[in-house]
Every structure is written in structure tokens, then in C-alpha cells.
Amino acid sequence: MSDELKAIQKILIAKSSKDAALAYRKFVPGEMKIYGVRTPELTELAKQFKAGGFDLVEELWQAGALEEKILAAKILQLIAKKDAARSLNLVVQFGPGIDNWAVCDAIGMQALQTIRKTHQKEIFALAKEYNSSKNFWERRLSLVLVEWYTREPSLHAEIKKLVKPLENDPEYYVRKAVVWINKNFMKGK
């Protein structure tokens, strides 16, 4: 365990609150370790520890607590431009370890945010790969990865090809992503 991870874990413990932990447990169902640290604190930690780079991102992910995984996504967002290929590979590596909607959405909406204009083709390819996964979190991720692109009318047809096979998915959180994308289309977003 790196000194950076030890420092982060010490800060997470110090900044934890029972109220935040209860809120996470209420809104993010599942069995996972939760410190109880609110998102704005995680955003500040990402800025503070982004110098830890890709190695710290991987170490945080492997540590496995909810906030550690979200923090990994937030740091990746800040450093993705430094090595877009490695960033994309980390999303592939992290896919099987996604076990709740909060982590799924952090990976899908934040981790690759700074490269989504320059690496649209690769992000769509990844979304297409995840779209037929046996892992329902990866199927949700296939839509969350392309949510931002709903703002681009020229990409709607490609996004709809990802939405269509998931419209009747048996999993609630996949169907929620379908509704989300379709609402974006209706808003003209």
C-alpha cells in the first residue's frame, strides 16, 4: 500500500460521517464498504492527490470501498489526457468490478470526460462492446459512457443503436439508463 493511499484512507476516516454513510446506504443499495464521505470532499481529494497518477487510480480501485472507487474515477478524469489509451484501458479493467450505479456513473460520466471529444470513436467502441455484456453494470455503463453525446444530434442514430437492445433489459438499473438517455433525446439535449 502506497503512502498516498494510506494518507487518503486516513483522510476518508477523518471526514466520514454517519449521516453520509446512511445516505449512501439508502441511495446506493448493495453490500460494500462505505466510509461516509460526501462527494464534494471526494472532489477536493481528487485535486489534492491527482499527482499520484494512474498507479494511484488503480490502487484506489483495488482498495474497493465506494468512495475509493469514486475517487479513482475522479482522479482519472483529471489525468486522462496524459495517456488516453491507458485511461480507456483502465475503464475496461474496472468494468467487471462495478457493483452499483454510483460507481458505474462515476466511471461512465467522469473518468473519460476530458477525452470524450478527442476519443469519441474509442468510447463508442467500448460502449458497443459493453452493450451485450452478461454483466448488467457493464450494460448500464454502455449507455452512461455515451450519455454526454446525446447533446450531438449527429450521434443520435448511433446512440439509439445502443439503446434499442436494452429497452427491455431485465435489470432495473439498465432500464433506468435507457429512460435517462431517451429523456435526453426528448429534451433536445
Side-chain angles (χ1 to χ4, degrees):
M1 183 184 304
S2 71
D3 289 341
E4 289 169 314
L5 181 58
K6 287 177 189 174
I8 288 169
Q9 289 176 334
K10 191 173 184 180
I11 292 167
L12 289 172
I13 291 167
K15 292 188 178 285
S16 67
S17 78
K18 287 183 181 179
D19 287 346
L22 288 172
Y24 275 130
R25 293 217 183 276
K26 179 179 179 181
F27 295 111
V28 185
E31 291 298 317
M32 69 202 94
K33 178 180 178 184
I34 294 175
Y35 286 93
V37 178
R38 299 202 184 271
T39 302
E41 297 283 355
L42 298 176
T43 301
E44 288 305 311
L45 280 174
K47 293 174 189 172
Q48 183 180 342
F49 285 94
K50 71 179 181 181
F54 295 103
D55 291 340
L56 180 58
V57 168
E58 289 186 73
E59 195 174 14
L60 280 162
W61 186 266
Q62 291 166 1
L66 176 69
E67 292 93 338
E68 290 163 336
K69 287 183 173 185
I70 292 172
L71 186 54
K74 288 180 172 292
I75 292 174
L76 188 55
Q77 174 186 8
L78 297 173
I79 65 172
K81 282 185 179 180
K82 292 181 181 182
D83 189 341
R86 186 169 182 188
S87 299
L88 287 158
N89 285 334
L90 284 173
V91 170
V92 170
Q93 179 183 325
F94 295 163
I98 295 171
D99 57 3
N100 64 72
W101 68 262
V103 171
C104 182
D105 293 4
I107 293 294
M109 296 189 71
Q110 295 176 26
L112 302 178
Q113 181 185 20
T114 56
I115 64 168
R116 64 178 157 220
K117 287 185 180 178
T118 56
H119 290 76
Q120 171 189 317
K121 186 180 199 178
E122 294 87 344
I123 292 170
F124 269 87
L126 182 56
K128 187 176 180 181
E129 180 182 326
Y130 280 151
N131 198 251
S132 59
S133 174
K134 290 180 181 165
N135 178 333
F136 76 89
W137 291 116
E138 289 179 346
R139 293 194 308 275
R140 178 183 171 89
L141 183 60
S142 77
L143 299 180
V144 178
L145 281 166
V146 299
E147 184 277 336
W148 184 84
Y149 297 106
T150 60
R151 294 160 176 82
E152 300 289 333
S154 63
L155 297 173
H156 286 189
E158 193 170 355
I159 295 168
K160 286 177 182 179
K161 287 179 188 174
L162 295 167
V163 171
K164 186 71 176 157
L166 301 178
E167 286 177 338
N168 296 309
D169 196 277
E171 295 294 339
Y172 171 78
Y173 286 104
V174 176
R175 291 192 314 271
K176 288 277 287 185
V178 167
V179 169
W180 179 15
I181 296 292
N182 285 332
K183 279 185 179 180
N184 283 359
F185 287 143
M186 289 190 299
K187 287 186 217 172
K189 205 174 181 188

mmCIF file of all heavy atoms in Angstrom, residues 68-118:
data_model
loop_
_atom_site.group_PDB
_atom_site.id
_atom_site.type_symbol
_atom_site.label_atom_id
_atom_site.label_comp_id
_atom_site.label_asym_id
_atom_site.label_seq_id
_atom_site.Cartn_x
_atom_site.Cartn_y
_atom_site.Cartn_z
ATOM 1 N N GLU A 68 -13.525 5.088 -2.444
ATOM 2 C CA GLU A 68 -12.236 4.870 -3.099
ATOM 3 C C GLU A 68 -12.418 4.675 -4.601
ATOM 4 O O GLU A 68 -11.647 5.201 -5.412
ATOM 5 C CB GLU A 68 -11.519 3.679 -2.473
ATOM 6 C CG GLU A 68 -11.035 3.975 -1.066
ATOM 7 C CD GLU A 68 -10.691 2.738 -0.247
ATOM 8 O OE1 GLU A 68 -11.216 1.636 -0.529
ATOM 9 O OE2 GLU A 68 -9.888 2.881 0.703
ATOM 10 N N LYS A 69 -13.454 3.934 -4.992
ATOM 11 C CA LYS A 69 -13.718 3.732 -6.424
ATOM 12 C C LYS A 69 -14.167 5.033 -7.086
ATOM 13 O O LYS A 69 -13.740 5.349 -8.200
ATOM 14 C CB LYS A 69 -14.762 2.627 -6.626
ATOM 15 C CG LYS A 69 -14.212 1.241 -6.350
ATOM 16 C CD LYS A 69 -15.247 0.171 -6.642
ATOM 17 C CE LYS A 69 -14.655 -1.223 -6.535
ATOM 18 N NZ LYS A 69 -15.625 -2.259 -6.925
ATOM 19 N N ILE A 70 -15.012 5.793 -6.418
ATOM 20 C CA ILE A 70 -15.449 7.079 -6.978
ATOM 21 C C ILE A 70 -14.263 8.027 -7.074
ATOM 22 O O ILE A 70 -14.101 8.739 -8.076
ATOM 23 C CB ILE A 70 -16.606 7.671 -6.153
ATOM 24 C CG1 ILE A 70 -17.865 6.802 -6.333
ATOM 25 C CG2 ILE A 70 -16.882 9.121 -6.547
ATOM 26 C CD1 ILE A 70 -19.023 7.174 -5.422
ATOM 27 N N LEU A 71 -13.428 8.028 -6.072
ATOM 28 C CA LEU A 71 -12.224 8.862 -6.093
ATOM 29 C C LEU A 71 -11.296 8.440 -7.238
ATOM 30 O O LEU A 71 -10.704 9.296 -7.912
ATOM 31 C CB LEU A 71 -11.505 8.783 -4.742
ATOM 32 C CG LEU A 71 -10.303 9.695 -4.537
ATOM 33 C CD1 LEU A 71 -10.641 11.158 -4.815
ATOM 34 C CD2 LEU A 71 -9.766 9.532 -3.119
ATOM 35 N N ALA A 72 -11.186 7.148 -7.491
ATOM 36 C CA ALA A 72 -10.382 6.669 -8.631
ATOM 37 C C ALA A 72 -10.910 7.262 -9.928
ATOM 38 O O ALA A 72 -10.135 7.738 -10.777
ATOM 39 C CB ALA A 72 -10.400 5.136 -8.687
ATOM 40 N N ALA A 73 -12.231 7.259 -10.103
ATOM 41 C CA ALA A 73 -12.836 7.830 -11.317
ATOM 42 C C ALA A 73 -12.575 9.329 -11.402
ATOM 43 O O ALA A 73 -12.273 9.856 -12.489
ATOM 44 C CB ALA A 73 -14.334 7.550 -11.342
ATOM 45 N N LYS A 74 -12.664 10.023 -10.276
ATOM 46 C CA LYS A 74 -12.452 11.473 -10.269
ATOM 47 C C LYS A 74 -10.998 11.833 -10.577
ATOM 48 O O LYS A 74 -10.737 12.807 -11.289
ATOM 49 C CB LYS A 74 -12.885 12.070 -8.928
ATOM 50 C CG LYS A 74 -14.397 12.087 -8.755
ATOM 51 C CD LYS A 74 -14.789 12.676 -7.415
ATOM 52 C CE LYS A 74 -16.281 12.869 -7.325
ATOM 53 N NZ LYS A 74 -16.790 13.911 -8.222
ATOM 54 N N ILE A 75 -10.064 11.072 -10.059
ATOM 55 C CA ILE A 75 -8.652 11.336 -10.383
ATOM 56 C C ILE A 75 -8.387 11.011 -11.847
ATOM 57 O O ILE A 75 -7.703 11.762 -12.548
ATOM 58 C CB ILE A 75 -7.704 10.556 -9.447
ATOM 59 C CG1 ILE A 75 -7.808 11.099 -8.011
ATOM 60 C CG2 ILE A 75 -6.258 10.641 -9.950
ATOM 61 C CD1 ILE A 75 -7.029 10.309 -6.972
ATOM 62 N N LEU A 76 -8.957 9.911 -12.329
ATOM 63 C CA LEU A 76 -8.776 9.554 -13.735
ATOM 64 C C LEU A 76 -9.284 10.679 -14.635
ATOM 65 O O LEU A 76 -8.650 11.019 -15.639
ATOM 66 C CB LEU A 76 -9.479 8.236 -14.048
ATOM 67 C CG LEU A 76 -9.222 7.644 -15.428
ATOM 68 C CD1 LEU A 76 -7.725 7.455 -15.698
ATOM 69 C CD2 LEU A 76 -9.954 6.312 -15.579
ATOM 70 N N GLN A 77 -10.387 11.271 -14.277
ATOM 71 C CA GLN A 77 -10.917 12.405 -15.041
ATOM 72 C C GLN A 77 -9.871 13.517 -15.152
ATOM 73 O O GLN A 77 -9.722 14.122 -16.216
ATOM 74 C CB GLN A 77 -12.168 12.953 -14.351
ATOM 75 C CG GLN A 77 -12.728 14.213 -14.971
ATOM 76 C CD GLN A 77 -13.889 14.783 -14.155
ATOM 77 O OE1 GLN A 77 -14.191 14.328 -13.057
ATOM 78 N NE2 GLN A 77 -14.540 15.778 -14.706
ATOM 79 N N LEU A 78 -9.149 13.775 -14.085
ATOM 80 C CA LEU A 78 -8.175 14.868 -14.059
ATOM 81 C C LEU A 78 -6.893 14.554 -14.826
ATOM 82 O O LEU A 78 -6.181 15.470 -15.229
ATOM 83 C CB LEU A 78 -7.832 15.229 -12.604
ATOM 84 C CG LEU A 78 -9.004 15.753 -11.771
ATOM 85 C CD1 LEU A 78 -8.577 15.912 -10.313
ATOM 86 C CD2 LEU A 78 -9.535 17.068 -12.328
ATOM 87 N N ILE A 79 -6.599 13.275 -15.028
ATOM 88 C CA ILE A 79 -5.320 12.905 -15.655
ATOM 89 C C ILE A 79 -5.469 12.167 -16.981
ATOM 90 O O ILE A 79 -4.462 11.850 -17.622
ATOM 91 C CB ILE A 79 -4.454 12.060 -14.696
ATOM 92 C CG1 ILE A 79 -5.119 10.711 -14.386
ATOM 93 C CG2 ILE A 79 -4.138 12.844 -13.418
ATOM 94 C CD1 ILE A 79 -4.257 9.745 -13.596
ATOM 95 N N ALA A 80 -6.679 11.906 -17.418
ATOM 96 C CA ALA A 80 -6.917 11.065 -18.599
ATOM 97 C C ALA A 80 -6.197 11.565 -19.840
ATOM 98 O O ALA A 80 -5.710 10.771 -20.647
ATOM 99 C CB ALA A 80 -8.415 10.937 -18.873
ATOM 100 N N LYS A 81 -6.093 12.878 -20.009
ATOM 101 C CA LYS A 81 -5.435 13.440 -21.196
ATOM 102 C C LYS A 81 -3.957 13.062 -21.271
ATOM 103 O O LYS A 81 -3.379 13.047 -22.351
ATOM 104 C CB LYS A 81 -5.546 14.961 -21.197
ATOM 105 C CG LYS A 81 -6.877 15.479 -21.628
ATOM 106 C CD LYS A 81 -6.827 16.998 -21.700
ATOM 107 C CE LYS A 81 -8.123 17.586 -22.160
ATOM 108 N NZ LYS A 81 -8.049 19.054 -22.217
ATOM 109 N N LYS A 82 -3.346 12.781 -20.137
ATOM 110 C CA LYS A 82 -1.919 12.441 -20.123
ATOM 111 C C LYS A 82 -1.645 11.141 -20.860
ATOM 112 O O LYS A 82 -0.573 10.965 -21.428
ATOM 113 C CB LYS A 82 -1.396 12.350 -18.688
ATOM 114 C CG LYS A 82 -1.369 13.682 -17.988
ATOM 115 C CD LYS A 82 -0.822 13.543 -16.575
ATOM 116 C CE LYS A 82 -0.823 14.906 -15.897
ATOM 117 N NZ LYS A 82 -0.272 14.839 -14.554
ATOM 118 N N ASP A 83 -2.607 10.221 -20.820
ATOM 119 C CA ASP A 83 -2.461 8.939 -21.516
ATOM 120 C C ASP A 83 -3.863 8.378 -21.753
ATOM 121 O O ASP A 83 -4.382 7.588 -20.959
ATOM 122 C CB ASP A 83 -1.611 7.971 -20.683
ATOM 123 C CG ASP A 83 -1.238 6.703 -21.431
ATOM 124 O OD1 ASP A 83 -1.912 6.375 -22.440
ATOM 125 O OD2 ASP A 83 -0.292 6.019 -20.997
ATOM 126 N N ALA A 84 -4.449 8.815 -22.863
ATOM 127 C CA ALA A 84 -5.832 8.430 -23.167
ATOM 128 C C ALA A 84 -5.974 6.918 -23.319
ATOM 129 O O ALA A 84 -6.957 6.338 -22.850
ATOM 130 C CB ALA A 84 -6.307 9.150 -24.423
ATOM 131 N N ALA A 85 -5.003 6.288 -23.953
ATOM 132 C CA ALA A 85 -5.090 4.833 -24.159
ATOM 133 C C ALA A 85 -5.096 4.107 -22.818
ATOM 134 O O ALA A 85 -5.894 3.183 -22.609
ATOM 135 C CB ALA A 85 -3.936 4.344 -25.025
ATOM 136 N N ARG A 86 -4.250 4.530 -21.908
ATOM 137 C CA ARG A 86 -4.230 3.892 -20.587
ATOM 138 C C ARG A 86 -5.540 4.154 -19.842
ATOM 139 O O ARG A 86 -6.062 3.273 -19.158
ATOM 140 C CB ARG A 86 -3.039 4.392 -19.773
ATOM 141 C CG ARG A 86 -2.884 3.662 -18.455
ATOM 142 C CD ARG A 86 -1.577 3.945 -17.777
ATOM 143 N NE ARG A 86 -1.451 3.180 -16.545
ATOM 144 C CZ ARG A 86 -0.488 3.346 -15.670
ATOM 145 N NH1 ARG A 86 0.479 4.217 -15.901
ATOM 146 N NH2 ARG A 86 -0.458 2.634 -14.564
ATOM 147 N N SER A 87 -6.080 5.351 -19.996
ATOM 148 C CA SER A 87 -7.351 5.691 -19.351
ATOM 149 C C SER A 87 -8.466 4.788 -19.849
ATOM 150 O O SER A 87 -9.259 4.259 -19.057
ATOM 151 C CB SER A 87 -7.703 7.156 -19.612
ATOM 152 O OG SER A 87 -6.700 7.999 -19.079
ATOM 153 N N LEU A 88 -8.537 4.606 -21.154
ATOM 154 C CA LEU A 88 -9.543 3.709 -21.737
ATOM 155 C C LEU A 88 -9.343 2.280 -21.243
ATOM 156 O O LEU A 88 -10.306 1.587 -20.913
ATOM 157 C CB LEU A 88 -9.490 3.773 -23.261
ATOM 158 C CG LEU A 88 -10.047 5.066 -23.870
ATOM 159 C CD1 LEU A 88 -9.493 5.293 -25.270
ATOM 160 C CD2 LEU A 88 -11.568 5.037 -23.884
ATOM 161 N N ASN A 89 -8.092 1.855 -21.171
ATOM 162 C CA ASN A 89 -7.800 0.501 -20.682
ATOM 163 C C ASN A 89 -8.204 0.329 -19.219
ATOM 164 O O ASN A 89 -8.645 -0.752 -18.823
ATOM 165 C CB ASN A 89 -6.320 0.162 -20.873
ATOM 166 C CG ASN A 89 -5.993 -0.137 -22.319
ATOM 167 O OD1 ASN A 89 -6.855 -0.549 -23.095
ATOM 168 N ND2 ASN A 89 -4.750 0.085 -22.700
ATOM 169 N N LEU A 90 -8.049 1.386 -18.433
ATOM 170 C CA LEU A 90 -8.474 1.292 -17.031
ATOM 171 C C LEU A 90 -9.988 1.143 -16.926
ATOM 172 O O LEU A 90 -10.477 0.372 -16.096
ATOM 173 C CB LEU A 90 -7.996 2.511 -16.238
ATOM 174 C CG LEU A 90 -6.517 2.500 -15.876
ATOM 175 C CD1 LEU A 90 -6.098 3.831 -15.251
ATOM 176 C CD2 LEU A 90 -6.189 1.345 -14.942
ATOM 177 N N VAL A 91 -10.728 1.828 -17.779
ATOM 178 C CA VAL A 91 -12.178 1.665 -17.768
ATOM 179 C C VAL A 91 -12.533 0.218 -18.111
ATOM 180 O O VAL A 91 -13.403 -0.380 -17.484
ATOM 181 C CB VAL A 91 -12.861 2.674 -18.717
ATOM 182 C CG1 VAL A 91 -14.346 2.350 -18.894
ATOM 183 C CG2 VAL A 91 -12.691 4.088 -18.174
ATOM 184 N N VAL A 92 -11.825 -0.358 -19.062
ATOM 185 C CA VAL A 92 -12.043 -1.769 -19.405
ATOM 186 C C VAL A 92 -11.714 -2.651 -18.203
ATOM 187 O O VAL A 92 -12.455 -3.570 -17.863
ATOM 188 C CB VAL A 92 -11.197 -2.174 -20.635
ATOM 189 C CG1 VAL A 92 -11.230 -3.681 -20.854
ATOM 190 C CG2 VAL A 92 -11.680 -1.437 -21.874
ATOM 191 N N GLN A 93 -10.612 -2.361 -17.555
ATOM 192 C CA GLN A 93 -10.180 -3.133 -16.385
ATOM 193 C C GLN A 93 -11.183 -3.006 -15.241
ATOM 194 O O GLN A 93 -11.467 -3.978 -14.537
ATOM 195 C CB GLN A 93 -8.802 -2.624 -15.942
ATOM 196 C CG GLN A 93 -8.217 -3.302 -14.729
ATOM 197 C CD GLN A 93 -6.879 -2.670 -14.329
ATOM 198 O OE1 GLN A 93 -6.105 -2.244 -15.176
ATOM 199 N NE2 GLN A 93 -6.635 -2.600 -13.036
ATOM 200 N N PHE A 94 -11.754 -1.816 -15.068
ATOM 201 C CA PHE A 94 -12.658 -1.574 -13.949
ATOM 202 C C PHE A 94 -14.067 -2.112 -14.192
ATOM 203 O O PHE A 94 -14.805 -2.364 -13.245
ATOM 204 C CB PHE A 94 -12.750 -0.075 -13.638
ATOM 205 C CG PHE A 94 -11.465 0.546 -13.156
ATOM 206 C CD1 PHE A 94 -11.318 1.930 -13.188
ATOM 207 C CD2 PHE A 94 -10.412 -0.216 -12.681
ATOM 208 C CE1 PHE A 94 -10.143 2.529 -12.743
ATOM 209 C CE2 PHE A 94 -9.234 0.371 -12.241
ATOM 210 C CZ PHE A 94 -9.105 1.760 -12.272
ATOM 211 N N GLY A 95 -14.460 -2.268 -15.451
ATOM 212 C CA GLY A 95 -15.819 -2.685 -15.792
ATOM 213 C C GLY A 95 -16.355 -3.841 -14.969
ATOM 214 O O GLY A 95 -17.438 -3.740 -14.371
ATOM 215 N N PRO A 96 -15.625 -4.953 -14.883
ATOM 216 C CA PRO A 96 -16.148 -6.097 -14.117
ATOM 217 C C PRO A 96 -16.283 -5.833 -12.612
ATOM 218 O O PRO A 96 -17.019 -6.530 -11.932
ATOM 219 C CB PRO A 96 -15.110 -7.200 -14.366
ATOM 220 C CG PRO A 96 -14.412 -6.795 -15.623
ATOM 221 C CD PRO A 96 -14.412 -5.290 -15.624
ATOM 222 N N GLY A 97 -15.616 -4.808 -12.099
ATOM 223 C CA GLY A 97 -15.671 -4.510 -10.668
ATOM 224 C C GLY A 97 -16.734 -3.504 -10.286
ATOM 225 O O GLY A 97 -16.870 -3.149 -9.116
ATOM 226 N N ILE A 98 -17.500 -3.041 -11.257
ATOM 227 C CA ILE A 98 -18.583 -2.104 -10.954
ATOM 228 C C ILE A 98 -19.715 -2.892 -10.311
ATOM 229 O O ILE A 98 -20.166 -3.892 -10.853
ATOM 230 C CB ILE A 98 -19.067 -1.385 -12.234
ATOM 231 C CG1 ILE A 98 -17.941 -0.503 -12.793
ATOM 232 C CG2 ILE A 98 -20.311 -0.564 -11.945
ATOM 233 C CD1 ILE A 98 -18.239 0.087 -14.161
ATOM 234 N N ASP A 99 -20.165 -2.404 -9.149
ATOM 235 C CA ASP A 99 -21.198 -3.150 -8.431
ATOM 236 C C ASP A 99 -22.344 -2.278 -7.927
ATOM 237 O O ASP A 99 -23.142 -2.709 -7.102
ATOM 238 C CB ASP A 99 -20.577 -3.939 -7.274
ATOM 239 C CG ASP A 99 -19.822 -3.053 -6.292
ATOM 240 O OD1 ASP A 99 -19.812 -1.810 -6.464
ATOM 241 O OD2 ASP A 99 -19.235 -3.600 -5.343
ATOM 242 N N ASN A 100 -22.408 -1.035 -8.424
ATOM 243 C CA ASN A 100 -23.523 -0.168 -8.058
ATOM 244 C C ASN A 100 -23.615 0.988 -9.047
ATOM 245 O O ASN A 100 -22.678 1.261 -9.789
ATOM 246 C CB ASN A 100 -23.386 0.332 -6.609
ATOM 247 C CG ASN A 100 -22.165 1.199 -6.417
ATOM 248 O OD1 ASN A 100 -22.123 2.335 -6.880
ATOM 249 N ND2 ASN A 100 -21.160 0.670 -5.734
ATOM 250 N N TRP A 101 -24.758 1.662 -9.033
ATOM 251 C CA TRP A 101 -24.983 2.726 -10.020
ATOM 252 C C TRP A 101 -24.066 3.924 -9.800
ATOM 253 O O TRP A 101 -23.675 4.593 -10.763
ATOM 254 C CB TRP A 101 -26.456 3.162 -10.041
ATOM 255 C CG TRP A 101 -26.906 3.879 -8.798
ATOM 256 C CD1 TRP A 101 -27.564 3.348 -7.737
ATOM 257 C CD2 TRP A 101 -26.716 5.257 -8.492
ATOM 258 N NE1 TRP A 101 -27.784 4.312 -6.788
ATOM 259 C CE2 TRP A 101 -27.279 5.503 -7.227
ATOM 260 C CE3 TRP A 101 -26.117 6.328 -9.159
ATOM 261 C CZ2 TRP A 101 -27.259 6.751 -6.614
ATOM 262 C CZ3 TRP A 101 -26.098 7.576 -8.551
ATOM 263 C CH2 TRP A 101 -26.676 7.777 -7.295
ATOM 264 N N ALA A 102 -23.710 4.239 -8.566
ATOM 265 C CA ALA A 102 -22.884 5.422 -8.302
ATOM 266 C C ALA A 102 -21.494 5.267 -8.909
ATOM 267 O O ALA A 102 -20.961 6.196 -9.539
ATOM 268 C CB ALA A 102 -22.787 5.674 -6.798
ATOM 269 N N VAL A 103 -20.910 4.098 -8.750
ATOM 270 C CA VAL A 103 -19.587 3.842 -9.332
ATOM 271 C C VAL A 103 -19.710 3.752 -10.849
ATOM 272 O O VAL A 103 -18.877 4.302 -11.585
ATOM 273 C CB VAL A 103 -18.958 2.570 -8.725
ATOM 274 C CG1 VAL A 103 -17.698 2.176 -9.468
ATOM 275 C CG2 VAL A 103 -18.650 2.797 -7.248
ATOM 276 N N CYS A 104 -20.749 3.095 -11.338
ATOM 277 C CA CYS A 104 -20.973 2.986 -12.777
ATOM 278 C C CYS A 104 -21.041 4.378 -13.410
ATOM 279 O O CYS A 104 -20.388 4.659 -14.427
ATOM 280 C CB CYS A 104 -22.261 2.217 -13.053
ATOM 281 S SG CYS A 104 -22.616 1.964 -14.792
ATOM 282 N N ASP A 105 -21.804 5.263 -12.798
ATOM 283 C CA ASP A 105 -21.982 6.590 -13.363
ATOM 284 C C ASP A 105 -20.729 7.447 -13.215
ATOM 285 O O ASP A 105 -20.429 8.271 -14.083
ATOM 286 C CB ASP A 105 -23.197 7.267 -12.731
ATOM 287 C CG ASP A 105 -24.501 6.564 -13.118
ATOM 288 O OD1 ASP A 105 -24.462 5.517 -13.805
ATOM 289 O OD2 ASP A 105 -25.570 7.063 -12.724
ATOM 290 N N ALA A 106 -19.980 7.250 -12.141
ATOM 291 C CA ALA A 106 -18.713 7.980 -11.990
ATOM 292 C C ALA A 106 -17.729 7.565 -13.088
ATOM 293 O O ALA A 106 -17.086 8.417 -13.713
ATOM 294 C CB ALA A 106 -18.106 7.729 -10.609
ATOM 295 N N ILE A 107 -17.648 6.273 -13.342
ATOM 296 C CA ILE A 107 -16.763 5.791 -14.403
ATOM 297 C C ILE A 107 -17.264 6.279 -15.766
ATOM 298 O O ILE A 107 -16.505 6.802 -16.580
ATOM 299 C CB ILE A 107 -16.653 4.241 -14.385
ATOM 300 C CG1 ILE A 107 -15.930 3.772 -13.123
ATOM 301 C CG2 ILE A 107 -15.959 3.718 -15.637
ATOM 302 C CD1 ILE A 107 -14.472 4.172 -13.027
ATOM 303 N N GLY A 108 -18.557 6.122 -16.017
ATOM 304 C CA GLY A 108 -19.105 6.456 -17.323
ATOM 305 C C GLY A 108 -19.173 7.931 -17.641
ATOM 306 O O GLY A 108 -18.989 8.332 -18.783
ATOM 307 N N MET A 109 -19.427 8.762 -16.643
ATOM 308 C CA MET A 109 -19.616 10.189 -16.906
ATOM 309 C C MET A 109 -18.412 11.040 -16.549
ATOM 310 O O MET A 109 -18.252 12.116 -17.120
ATOM 311 C CB MET A 109 -20.831 10.690 -16.131
ATOM 312 C CG MET A 109 -22.109 10.034 -16.597
ATOM 313 S SD MET A 109 -23.557 10.775 -15.881
ATOM 314 C CE MET A 109 -23.570 12.339 -16.733
ATOM 315 N N GLN A 110 -17.573 10.575 -15.641
ATOM 316 C CA GLN A 110 -16.471 11.421 -15.191
ATOM 317 C C GLN A 110 -15.102 10.945 -15.665
ATOM 318 O O GLN A 110 -14.298 11.752 -16.114
ATOM 319 C CB GLN A 110 -16.472 11.514 -13.666
ATOM 320 C CG GLN A 110 -17.695 12.212 -13.127
ATOM 321 C CD GLN A 110 -17.740 12.218 -11.613
ATOM 322 O OE1 GLN A 110 -16.724 12.146 -10.939
ATOM 323 N NE2 GLN A 110 -18.936 12.299 -11.067
ATOM 324 N N ALA A 111 -14.836 9.664 -15.557
ATOM 325 C CA ALA A 111 -13.478 9.164 -15.776
ATOM 326 C C ALA A 111 -12.897 9.567 -17.129
ATOM 327 O O ALA A 111 -11.719 9.922 -17.224
ATOM 328 C CB ALA A 111 -13.439 7.645 -15.614
ATOM 329 N N LEU A 112 -13.709 9.536 -18.177
ATOM 330 C CA LEU A 112 -13.213 9.839 -19.526
ATOM 331 C C LEU A 112 -13.670 11.207 -20.029
ATOM 332 O O LEU A 112 -13.506 11.518 -21.209
ATOM 333 C CB LEU A 112 -13.653 8.735 -20.496
ATOM 334 C CG LEU A 112 -13.191 7.327 -20.146
ATOM 335 C CD1 LEU A 112 -13.743 6.321 -21.148
ATOM 336 C CD2 LEU A 112 -11.670 7.231 -20.072
ATOM 337 N N GLN A 113 -14.205 12.013 -19.146
ATOM 338 C CA GLN A 113 -14.766 13.311 -19.536
ATOM 339 C C GLN A 113 -13.784 14.170 -20.333
ATOM 340 O O GLN A 113 -14.172 14.777 -21.328
ATOM 341 C CB GLN A 113 -15.234 14.071 -18.298
ATOM 342 C CG GLN A 113 -15.841 15.426 -18.619
ATOM 343 C CD GLN A 113 -16.198 16.213 -17.383
ATOM 344 O OE1 GLN A 113 -15.687 15.948 -16.298
ATOM 345 N NE2 GLN A 113 -17.065 17.172 -17.529
ATOM 346 N N THR A 114 -12.548 14.215 -19.936
ATOM 347 C CA THR A 114 -11.594 15.112 -20.592
ATOM 348 C C THR A 114 -11.094 14.596 -21.934
ATOM 349 O O THR A 114 -10.421 15.332 -22.658
ATOM 350 C CB THR A 114 -10.387 15.395 -19.670
ATOM 351 O OG1 THR A 114 -9.789 14.151 -19.291
ATOM 352 C CG2 THR A 114 -10.816 16.162 -18.423
ATOM 353 N N ILE A 115 -11.436 13.362 -22.278
ATOM 354 C CA ILE A 115 -11.014 12.842 -23.585
ATOM 355 C C ILE A 115 -12.197 12.478 -24.479
ATOM 356 O O ILE A 115 -12.005 11.940 -25.566
ATOM 357 C CB ILE A 115 -10.047 11.634 -23.452
ATOM 358 C CG1 ILE A 115 -10.731 10.437 -22.783
ATOM 359 C CG2 ILE A 115 -8.772 12.043 -22.727
ATOM 360 C CD1 ILE A 115 -9.955 9.134 -22.886
ATOM 361 N N ARG A 116 -13.401 12.787 -24.056
ATOM 362 C CA ARG A 116 -14.546 12.336 -24.850
ATOM 363 C C ARG A 116 -14.652 13.012 -26.206
ATOM 364 O O ARG A 116 -15.191 12.434 -27.127
ATOM 365 C CB ARG A 116 -15.836 12.398 -24.061
ATOM 366 C CG ARG A 116 -16.307 13.719 -23.635
ATOM 367 C CD ARG A 116 -17.646 13.560 -22.909
ATOM 368 N NE ARG A 116 -17.851 14.685 -22.031
ATOM 369 C CZ ARG A 116 -18.371 14.594 -20.833
ATOM 370 N NH1 ARG A 116 -18.726 13.434 -20.340
ATOM 371 N NH2 ARG A 116 -18.538 15.659 -20.104
ATOM 372 N N LYS A 117 -14.131 14.221 -26.354
ATOM 373 C CA LYS A 117 -14.152 14.867 -27.677
ATOM 374 C C LYS A 117 -13.070 14.294 -28.584
ATOM 375 O O LYS A 117 -13.303 14.099 -29.772
ATOM 376 C CB LYS A 117 -13.995 16.375 -27.540
ATOM 377 C CG LYS A 117 -15.238 17.051 -26.996
ATOM 378 C CD LYS A 117 -15.104 18.553 -26.987
ATOM 379 C CE LYS A 117 -16.361 19.196 -26.439
ATOM 380 N NZ LYS A 117 -16.246 20.652 -26.383
ATOM 381 N N THR A 118 -11.928 14.011 -28.032
ATOM 382 C CA THR A 118 -10.807 13.520 -28.835
ATOM 383 C C THR A 118 -10.838 12.012 -29.052
ATOM 384 O O THR A 118 -10.189 11.515 -29.969
ATOM 385 C CB THR A 118 -9.459 13.889 -28.182
ATOM 386 O OG1 THR A 118 -9.437 13.364 -26.845
ATOM 387 C CG2 THR A 118 -9.267 15.403 -28.148
#
